[in-house]
């Protein structure tokens, strides 16, 4: 847990214990609910602060069980076939103007607030529900540019499809099944962040870059919230919507390549990119180079393996799953999870960023928490991970650890069992790290 994280705890409730008969959320229902996401307020002046009051931490009851884990994906971009875009292969970033830093108001004025008061899923100690009836149980049943044909000639492997552009760089699928899961995952982020799209104190951005835009939901909502901002979303796979705000465009592009944008950005956003880059320090250097003075970089990511407050995750297949995925990713040269997300602050500082902050959030592995807010978040995340579990494992374990498909299938079933086990009080750490490019002449200490 990051020492700078704010540990807060919601008020414990005496909600009745939930068992197998809890409200069931199906993947169909989850996807339907994503079509009308809550609107984000771009201005900081007309919204209420999130309801997060500091309280004493809750004492968890005794338990001897296990814990789980959480993953992601959401990556890459698209480049026009004819090269006509905001990219110029011969251009370097323009020299940023020597602007005078504006007077900064209090930090509270700089924070983007949700439409209404909302709870934040900040990392903390949670009280598990006393569920004697059902320790094992599941809360779920279950382009704006012309692209060349080669972009859509996906790699097919073990019944799933993967990106064709820069084949092999991204180890998660890009098929319709995965796209639905990514849309659900965006909803979980909104629930986690109290409706916010970001935490950086960005005001009146002019140009923004969304790296690893995935299905494009974050970019669409950001563009809607900032109609005067030119927004670019990049990904290795196509599949973003074509009906988008006029200030947004999607490109197929690789953020590991040398950046050749002919402009600098006010804001660069990257979500769930751990596992995507071989050279993270270079990513931070390029992001710094293409940010305007005073511009912000924000990374919203995940940690692996899973954690728990009472060690019920230890010696479980769920915990071993995280360890194996991280080992496979290291073998493939693209470390993931906590192997990289815990180093973001250090790499940002080395690249020259200032005002670096980390906020720690958490995703319960299922509905094991007693508090209704955390229970709902756990239900959604259980669906998210179970739906993505096979995709998380197939490429990594077969390519990185030389497992056979049959071995992966057996292991996926065992991890799925742990994800349904409410005696395992596990959660995924979900850090958000952001920092600013300093102003010309600013003294950096």
């Amino acid at each position: 847990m990051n020492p700078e994280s704010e540990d807060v705890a919601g008020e414990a409730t005496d909600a009745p214990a939930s068992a197998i008969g809890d409200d069931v959320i199906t993947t169909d229902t989850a996807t339907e609910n994503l079509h009308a996401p809550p609107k984000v307020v771009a201005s900081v002046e007309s919204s209420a602060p999130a309801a997060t009051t500091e309280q004493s931490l809750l004492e968890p009851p005794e338990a001897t069980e296990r814990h789980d884990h959480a993953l992601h994906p959401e990556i890459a971009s698209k480049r026009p076939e004819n090269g006509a875009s905001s990219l110029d292969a011969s251009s370097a970033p323009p020299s940023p103007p020597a602007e005078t830093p504006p007077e900064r108001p209090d930090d509270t004025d700089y924070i983007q607030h949700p439409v209404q008061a909302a709870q934040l899923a900040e990392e903390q100690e949670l009280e598990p529900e006393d569920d004697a009836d059902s320790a094992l149980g599941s809360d779920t049943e279950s382009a704006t540019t012309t692209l060349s044909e080669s972009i859509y000639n996906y790699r097919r492997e073990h019944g799933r499809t993967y990106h064709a552009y820069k084949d092999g760089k991204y180890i998660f699928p890009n098929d319709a099944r995965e796209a639905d899961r990514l849309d659900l995952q965006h909803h979980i982020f909104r629930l986690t962040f109290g409706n916010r799209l970001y935490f950086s104190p960005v005001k009146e951005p002019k140009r923004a870059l969304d790296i690893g835009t995935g299905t494009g939901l974050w970019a669409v909502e950001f563009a809607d919230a900032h109609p005067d901002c030119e927004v670019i979303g990049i990904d290795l796979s196509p599949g973003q919507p074509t009906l988008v705000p006029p200030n947004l465009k999607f490109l197929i592009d690789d953020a590991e390549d040398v950046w050749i944008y002919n402009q600098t950005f006010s804001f660069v956003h990257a979500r769930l990119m751990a596992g995507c880059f071989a050279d993270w320090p270079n990513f931070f250097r390029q992001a710094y180079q293409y940010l305007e003075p005073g511009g912000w970089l924000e990374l919203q990511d995940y940690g692996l393996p899973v954690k728990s407050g009472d060690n019920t995750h230890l010696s479980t297949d769920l915990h071993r799953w995280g360890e194996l995925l991280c080992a496979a990713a290291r073998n493939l040269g693209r470390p993931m999870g906590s192997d990289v997300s815990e180093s973001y602050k250090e790499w940002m500082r080395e690249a020259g960023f200032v005002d670096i902050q980390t906020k720690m959030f958490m995703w319960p592995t299922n509905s094991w928490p007693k508090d209704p807010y955390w229970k709902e978040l756990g239900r959604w995340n259980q669906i998210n991970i179970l739906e993505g579990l096979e995709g998380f494992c197939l490429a990594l374990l077969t390519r990185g650890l030389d497992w056979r498909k049959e071995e992966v299938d057996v292991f996926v079933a065992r991890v799925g069992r742990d994800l349904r086990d409410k005696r395992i009080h596990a959660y995924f750490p979900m850090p958000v790290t952001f920092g600013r490019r300093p102003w010309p002449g600013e003294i950096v200490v």
Side-chain angles (χ1 to χ4, degrees), residues 322-332 339 400-401:
E323 293 178 323
L324 289 171
L325 292 188
C326 289
R330 288 192 294 269
N331 289 345
L332 294 173
D339 284 352
L401 297 180

Side-chain angles (χ1 to χ4, degrees), residues 91-362:
S91 63
S95 301
E99 301 180 39
T100 303
E103 291 187 13
R104 292 186 56 183
D106 293 339
D107 288 342
T108 52
D109 293 330
Y110 252 63
I111 297 299
Q112 175 203 17
H113 293 303
V115 173
Q116 57 189 14
Q119 186 166 350
L120 287 167
E122 294 184 274
E123 189 174 35
Q124 59 189 269
E125 189 172 346
L126 296 178
E127 180 180 5
E129 183 176 51
D130 184 13
D131 193 352
D133 295 331
S134 173
L136 275 172
S138 173
D139 293 299
T140 174
E141 294 175 341
S142 38
T144 58
T145 58
T146 303
L147 302 175
S148 65
E149 291 296 329
S150 63
I151 293 296
Y152 293 95
N153 188 22
Y154 301 136
R155 173 176 182 167
R156 299 182 184 276
E157 187 176 278
H158 303 305
R160 305 299 295 270
T161 63
Y162 299 81
H163 67 95
Y165 180 64
K166 301 296 184 74
D167 182 26
K169 277 199 167 187
Y170 184 61
I171 39 71
F172 299 119
N174 68 349
D175 46 29
R177 177 178 170 187
E178 176 66 4
D180 288 343
R181 191 194 68 80
L182 288 177
D183 286 350
L184 167 63
Q185 190 168 249
H186 178 73
H187 166 78
I188 299 173
F189 270 106
R190 295 294 296 269
L191 184 62
T192 303
F193 296 159
N195 253 3
R196 294 168 175 82
L197 288 174
Y198 56 90
F199 288 88
S200 298
V202 177
K203 298 191 71 175
E204 300 180 359
K206 297 303 180 185
R207 291 169 300 277
L209 176 65
D210 182 27
I211 298 175
T213 194
T215 58
L217 281 182
W218 186 94
V220 168
E221 294 180 13
F222 185 88
D224 276 336
H226 301 278
D228 295 327
C229 178
E230 177 188 349
V231 183
I232 299 175
I234 67 171
D235 204 285
L236 290 175
S237 290
Q240 294 77 32
T242 54
L243 296 176
V244 299
N247 56 323
L248 167 64
K249 60 182 166 185
F250 294 112
L251 305 173
I252 296 298
D253 199 12
D254 184 0
E256 278 198 302
D257 287 346
V258 176
W259 292 20
I260 51 176
Y261 301 101
N262 58 12
Q263 60 188 350
T264 55
F265 298 95
S266 311
F267 186 41
V268 175
H269 169 266
R271 176 185 282 180
L272 298 177
M273 297 298 289
C276 299
F277 297 146
D279 187 352
W280 271 98
N282 184 61
F283 165 80
F284 286 107
R285 288 191 295 269
Q286 293 207 92
Y288 181 93
Q289 182 182 12
Y290 277 86
L291 276 170
E292 64 186 25
W296 289 82
L297 168 66
E298 177 164 321
L299 295 97
Q300 303 173 0
D301 233 306
Y302 67 97
L304 270 183
V306 296
K307 297 181 179 181
S308 70
D310 55 7
N311 293 329
T312 52
H313 70 296
L314 298 177
S315 301
T316 66
D317 288 310
L318 179 62
H319 184 248
R320 181 169 176 254
W321 169 64
E323 293 178 323
L324 289 171
L325 292 188
C326 289
R330 288 192 294 269
N331 289 345
L332 294 173
R334 298 179 185 280
M336 66 187 301
S338 300
D339 284 352
V340 291
S341 61
E342 292 183 354
S343 299
Y344 287 165
K345 289 185 69 172
E346 176 186 352
W347 290 330
M348 290 181 77
R349 189 174 294 110
E350 291 174 353
F353 287 90
V354 296
D355 289 346
I356 305 168
Q357 301 180 48
T358 294
K359 288 181 172 289
M360 291 299 298
F361 300 88
M362 57 194 291

